[in-house]
Amino acid sequence: MKSDVKRIEKELRELNEFNSTPESGTTRVLFTEPELKGREYVKGIMKDAGLEVTEDSIGNVFGCLKGTDPSLAPVWTGSHIDTVLNAGMFDGMAGVIGGIEALRMIKESGAGHKRDICAIIYTSEEPTRFELSCLGSRAMAGELSVEDTKNVHDKDGKTLYEVLNELGYDLSEFHRIKRSKGDVYAAVEMHIEQSSKLENDHKQLGIVKAICAPSNYDIIVKGVQSHAGGTSMEDRHDAYMAACDIALRLEKIARENTASEYTTATIGRVATVPGSVNVIPGECRFSVDIRDTDADSKKQLMKNLVSQFPDIEKERGVTIDIVTYNEDIPVKCDRDIMDIIRKHMENSGAEYEYLLSGAYHDSLFVGHFAPVAMIFVPSKNGISHSPEEWTDFEDIAAGTDVLAETLLELANK
Ligand code: HGY
Ligand code: MN
Ligand code: MN
């Protein structure tokens, strides 16, 4: 089977039109107008492809190619169409359009398959609106309840529950989102690499061995707001400087971590109060995003950082508090599915290699109830979550060829 690279490019460019920042990259935030229109667009191409389209109570969209034996658990593929702010046009979208293209290829090939094969848009993989990532796949894994949706809110204070209600989702059916082990036979997601290993190693495709999981926190430092000129360096309790002290210790711990194969720590959002140029901040609130291939290593890293807080509090006369959003469990990809992918990569002649995913994906949560694997396609200069994000359409087509063969083989097991 051969994917239609022109059709892939056309649909990715058309989907990219649903964007609230056309002047700078792509922004498609959950349940805002561009994302709702993007959903309708993708549902349209699913219907045109003859897929059976359904949606669950958190907005996960399923486009399914019916198999001959509905009693068998289905095979899934898919990704997300929501983005971070000022993102690129491929993070998530490559796996959604590629997944639909793979199902079209299987349908057009006339090859029979026992199991249903479903292409999915998972709701809100990015934490952009509600600070919590992977809302749709987290709910599928039973790790987000309808009660939890009342405690997740956006910067305007609106809860996910209210937003879903307003959009007409039936929240009395929320419990049906959850899947148990055995409900899904296998799930394969194609995604851009969002790093530079494939490019540096001159490989076209990647087989993911393990998916890092994030732990996300806010740290709130409280000091004494005071005059920038009148307060001597000795007399101040500067919340921002204390935050910088914590940040540099976090960086050191992450850099020196040897307890696992891969660790990262990032502070992406910082806010000081009152935020005036001539006032010593009395408060500083900042985000912490830690990734690791190993859950214990991640836990130990955070324990090490927090153990240093009492010294900082004493030395700087500040208080330090933590808000925990999520401490997610990393996933190892399924060896059997990885081997099927390897075989089809070799048959296709594509140069490939095995690698880790520092980024998390919906497959991280699907992997909590089903065997998962991922196919990576290269990111130019390793850049993602940026208007500079770029992946060649030919590489997406090559990944889609392997995805289609893999899904078909799994659907006949
Ligand atoms: O942050 C991530 O790893 C994903 O791209 N949302
Ligand atoms: Mn992303
Ligand atoms: Mn993504």
Side-chain angles (χ1 to χ4, degrees), residues 80 84 91 125-126 194 385:
H80 60 99
V84 297
D91 172 4
E125 190 268 359
E126 299 292 1
Q194 299 179 299
H385 281 188

Side-chain angles (χ1 to χ4, degrees), residues 169-213:
Y169 287 104
D170 181 356
L171 295 175
S172 69
E173 296 286 296
F174 196 92
H175 61 285
R176 293 187 192 287
I177 300 169
K178 184 179 177 310
R179 295 305 198 281
S180 306
K181 285 196 189 312
D183 286 352
V184 176
Y185 179 70
V188 185
E189 178 177 3
M190 179 168 72
H191 202 285
I192 56 171
E193 181 197 351
Q194 299 179 299
S195 187
S196 52
K197 188 167 175 24
L198 290 176
E199 189 175 63
N200 295 345
D201 297 348
H202 308 292
K203 305 290 181 191
Q204 186 178 34
L205 300 177
I207 305 176
V208 176
K209 297 184 294 186
I211 307 168
C212 283

Side-chain angles (χ1 to χ4, degrees), residues 337-404:
I337 308 174
M338 287 167 65
D339 209 40
I340 293 172
I341 292 171
R342 178 198 53 74
K343 179 182 66 181
H344 290 300
M345 282 188 183
E346 280 170 5
N347 292 347
S348 74
E351 291 284 307
Y352 70 91
E353 65 181 335
Y354 292 91
L355 70 182
L356 294 170
S357 178
Y360 57 77
H361 305 282
D362 290 300
S363 296
L364 177 69
F365 288 92
V366 177
H368 291 173
F369 59 83
V372 294
M374 292 191 74
I375 295 169
F376 270 4
V377 289
S379 292
K380 195 165 174 355
N381 303 322
I383 290 176
S384 179
H385 281 188
S386 155
E388 305 311 310
E389 180 182 281
W390 182 263
T391 296
D392 287 345
F393 296 107
E394 292 69 23
D395 292 340
I396 297 173
T400 302
D401 293 346
V402 172
L403 179 65

Side-chain angles (χ1 to χ4, degrees), residues 157-409:
K158 222 165 191 184
T159 67
L160 174 60
Y161 184 90
E162 287 164 336
V163 172
L164 288 168
N165 235 345
E166 278 165 22
L167 289 167
Y169 287 104
D170 181 356
L171 295 175
S172 69
E173 296 286 296
F174 196 92
H175 61 285
R176 293 187 192 287
I177 300 169
K178 184 179 177 310
R179 295 305 198 281
S180 306
K181 285 196 189 312
D183 286 352
V184 176
Y185 179 70
V188 185
E189 178 177 3
M190 179 168 72
H191 202 285
I192 56 171
E193 181 197 351
Q194 299 179 299
S195 187
S196 52
K197 188 167 175 24
L198 290 176
E199 189 175 63
N200 295 345
D201 297 348
H202 308 292
K203 305 290 181 191
Q204 186 178 34
L205 300 177
I207 305 176
V208 176
K209 297 184 294 186
I211 307 168
C212 283
S215 288
N216 293 87
Y217 311 88
D218 268 5
I219 293 183
I220 301 104
V221 182
K222 287 203 169 90
V224 176
Q225 179 172 327
S226 182
H227 195 288
T231 316
S232 73
M233 291 311 285
E234 292 68 35
D235 292 346
R236 52 186 62 198
H237 305 287
D238 185 329
Y240 176 68
M241 294 301 185
C244 294
D245 190 348
I246 297 169
L248 292 174
R249 292 170 190 240
L250 171 63
E251 183 188 45
K252 186 172 181 318
I253 296 168
R255 274 189 197 284
E256 293 170 4
N257 186 31
T258 54
S260 71
E261 217 177 330
Y262 188 79
T263 308
T264 63
T266 309
I267 294 174
R269 171 176 40 74
V270 181
T272 59
V273 176
S276 310
V277 296
N278 58 350
V279 179
I280 301 169
E283 181 179 316
C284 179
R285 181 175 186 132
F286 60 94
S287 63
V288 169
D289 174 304
I290 298 175
R291 310 287 173 94
D292 205 308
T293 48
D294 180 281
D296 292 338
S297 157
K298 196 159 51 122
K299 221 178 259 151
Q300 203 43 49
L301 188 151
M302 202 53 198
K303 216 164 141 209
N304 180 349
L305 180 71
V306 173
S307 71
Q308 302 181 40
F309 286 0
D311 288 351
I312 299 171
E313 289 178 320
K314 195 155 157 264
E315 194 187 311
R316 294 178 172 273
V318 298
T319 60
I320 306 170
D321 291 299
I322 296 188
V323 172
T324 300
Y325 290 105
N326 51 286
E327 296 178 316
D328 298 324
I329 311 295
V331 142
K332 295 230 181 311
C333 293
D334 180 86
R335 309 293 311 174
D336 294 337
I337 308 174
M338 287 167 65
D339 209 40
I340 293 172
I341 292 171
R342 178 198 53 74
K343 179 182 66 181
H344 290 300
M345 282 188 183
E346 280 170 5
N347 292 347
S348 74
E351 291 284 307
Y352 70 91
E353 65 181 335
Y354 292 91
L355 70 182
L356 294 170
S357 178
Y360 57 77
H361 305 282
D362 290 300
S363 296
L364 177 69
F365 288 92
V366 177
H368 291 173
F369 59 83
V372 294
M374 292 191 74
I375 295 169
F376 270 4
V377 289
S379 292
K380 195 165 174 355
N381 303 322
I383 290 176
S384 179
H385 281 188
S386 155
E388 305 311 310
E389 180 182 281
W390 182 263
T391 296
D392 287 345
F393 296 107
E394 292 69 23
D395 292 340
I396 297 173
T400 302
D401 293 346
V402 172
L403 179 65
E405 297 291 352
T406 302
L407 294 173
L408 181 58
E409 182 166 338

